[in-house]
Amino acid sequence: MDCVRIAYICTMRAIKIVLISTFLFLLNNASLACATCQATIESTNSEEGASGLAMGLYNGILYLMIIPYILLFLLFRKRIMKFFREFNSIHK
């Protein structure tokens, strides 16, 4: 492999690591609930019930957000893999 290709691969890996770590950091600190869900959580009287309810709502929101992407990947995985193979063959 030539030096340019190795540098490109290292750069892409570094970018992926930075993006994933940034996403995970922001996900940890993000308020995932909409205003209505947030009001429901705040109106819960007991402290333990509120945290359990909040975690349940947040997990539900995450599952609802990720399922369409998983379904799209499963439906179009052959086209996606073909695209990446062609992309790699062009840049060799």
Side-chain angles (χ1 to χ4, degrees), residues 46-87:
S46 69
E47 191 64 34
E48 291 178 17
S51 64
L53 179 64
M55 289 308 297
L57 283 172
Y58 293 158
N59 288 337
I61 291 169
L62 286 176
Y63 286 130
L64 288 174
M65 285 173 38
I66 201 165
I67 286 175
Y69 294 106
I70 292 171
L71 290 175
L72 285 174
F73 176 75
L74 292 175
L75 290 173
F76 296 106
R77 67 181 177 267
K78 289 182 181 179
R79 288 185 187 176
I80 293 169
M81 294 304 165
K82 181 181 175 185
F83 170 77
F84 282 115
R85 276 191 225 112
E86 290 176 0
F87 184 77

Side-chain angles (χ1 to χ4, degrees), residues 6-84:
I6 293 171
Y8 174 76
I9 291 171
C10 292
T11 304
M12 293 307 293
R13 285 183 183 165
I15 290 172
K16 287 178 188 177
I17 290 170
V18 168
L19 287 176
I20 290 171
S21 60
T22 303
F23 173 74
L24 291 175
F25 175 74
L26 292 176
L27 182 65
N28 232 358
N29 296 328
S31 175
L32 298 175
C34 63
T36 307
C37 297
Q38 194 70 29
T40 304
I41 294 168
E42 290 174 359
S43 69
T44 305
N45 291 332
S46 69
E47 191 64 34
E48 291 178 17
S51 64
L53 179 64
M55 289 308 297
L57 283 172
Y58 293 158
N59 288 337
I61 291 169
L62 286 176
Y63 286 130
L64 288 174
M65 285 173 38
I66 201 165
I67 286 175
Y69 294 106
I70 292 171
L71 290 175
L72 285 174
F73 176 75
L74 292 175
L75 290 173
F76 296 106
R77 67 181 177 267
K78 289 182 181 179
R79 288 185 187 176
I80 293 169
M81 294 304 165
K82 181 181 175 185
F83 170 77
F84 282 115

